[in-house]
Amino acid sequence: SQQGEEDPQALSIQEGENATMNCSYKTSINNLQWYRQNSGRGLVHLILIRSNEREKHSGRLRVTLDTSKKSSSLLITVSRAADTASYFCATDSTGYKLSFGAGTTVTVRA
Amino acid sequence: NAGVTQTPKFQVLKTGQSMTLQCAQDMNHNSMYWYRQDPGMGLRLIYYSASEGTTDKGEVPNGYNVSRLNKREFSLRLESAAPSQTSVYFCASLAGDEFIGAYEQYFGPGTRLTVT
């Protein structure tokens, strides 16, 4: 069964705006990862946050993790048309298997 | 460095036909995975191989078999295809292992399979 659930399912924003999506999960984790998938392509790893971390930054990406609420958020700042994609959270509870959510589809309008 | 490669990119099968999806990685990763992706359902793990010579079932293994031919290659076989197996199939390999903790997975471009 899928561990992570993203919210919202879809998001449409104007170029230059920020995009925020959330992920909730059910069991304890070692780390949580976010991936991006452009239409018709494979997934690409964006960022990993460990269970003992609360916030992590990578370029225009900011990820937070609240293990007490079993939730994470991904913020993309100053969005660009190239950020149009589906974004998936994936939880690692075993050390070698990931459990993916259904994803958030982000559309950035020019 | 090609990363993870998959063949074929597209395939149409008739119900009952068999086929093998090929996957190879050139990053010297120990662990490899097969997922299927269906609309609105994210990725579901079919089988994985934590190391050469070992394979284990994932969430949805029924109707599939796998072979870890060597460290580079991990194939997925459909013995008797069914319309329910129409999906996009992704192969991935893992940077990291169960002893030091998982890191990111690297994905291939996918195989779009239609079973009629």
Side-chain angles (χ1 to χ4, degrees):
Chain A
S1 61
Q2 289 177 293
Q3 158 91 300
E5 291 186 8
E6 289 94 340
D7 170 66
Q9 288 186 336
L11 183 59
S12 180
I13 56 174
Q14 203 72 34
E15 209 167 20
E17 293 180 337
N18 296 343
T20 300
M21 60 210 86
N22 304 296
C23 172
S24 59
Y25 58 92
K26 297 172 186 164
T27 63
S28 62
I29 60 173
N30 296 325
N31 64 67
L32 185 144
Q33 303 178 28
W34 286 91
Y35 288 78
R36 183 188 72 230
Q37 183 180 35
N38 292 95
S39 181
R41 310 291 289 272
L43 278 71
V44 175
H45 180 262
L46 293 176
I47 194 165
L48 179 154
I49 186 166
R50 299 194 184 283
S51 60
N52 60 355
E53 296 175 312
R54 291 297 165 257
E55 187 170 314
K56 201 161 183 181
H57 296 254
S58 176
R60 293 184 296 111
L61 304 179
R62 173 180 167 249
V63 170
T64 62
L65 179 65
D66 187 334
T67 53
S68 67
K69 294 181 179 177
K70 291 188 170 57
S71 68
S72 173
S73 68
L74 172 67
L75 168 68
I76 305 173
T77 61
V78 193
S79 62
R80 306 167 181 167
D83 295 328
T84 293
S86 292
Y87 293 81
F88 295 87
C89 71
T91 54
D92 166 27
S93 302
T94 64
Y96 54 93
K97 280 195 295 182
L98 294 179
S99 181
F100 286 84
T104 294
T105 300
V106 174
T107 303
V108 181
R109 306 186 306 274
Chain B
N1 192 334
V4 179
T5 57
Q6 291 182 238
T7 56
K9 285 189 168 57
F10 300 93
Q11 184 72 48
V12 179
L13 292 178
K14 294 189 189 309
T15 296
Q17 288 185 317
S18 62
M19 78 161 295
T20 299
L21 281 65
Q22 307 286 354
C23 174
Q25 52 93 9
D26 61 1
M27 296 172 283
N28 202 37
H29 291 163
N30 285 324
S31 301
M32 296 184 72
Y33 306 80
W34 276 106
Y35 295 90
R36 59 178 289 171
Q37 184 178 32
D38 301 295
M41 298 205 57
L43 275 75
R44 291 183 292 169
L45 182 64
I46 304 171
Y47 270 95
Y48 67 99
S49 170
S51 62
E52 185 179 351
T54 69
T55 61
D56 285 287
K57 295 179 181 179
E59 186 184 346
V60 288
N62 291 345
Y64 305 95
N65 284 302
V66 291
S67 295
R68 183 74 182 268
L69 305 170
N70 47 54
K71 192 170 186 179
R72 289 187 66 249
E73 298 171 291
F74 188 37
S75 63
L76 177 73
R77 183 160 177 84
L78 286 70
E79 292 291 352
S80 178
S84 61
Q85 294 178 306
T86 292
S87 188
V88 182
Y89 291 86
F90 289 99
C91 176
S93 66
L94 178 70
D97 59 40
E98 60 188 298
F99 299 109
I100 63 172
Y103 296 98
E104 63 263 33
Q105 290 193 7
Y106 290 79
F107 283 80
T111 294
R112 280 143 189 82
L113 175 67
T114 301
V115 183
T116 62

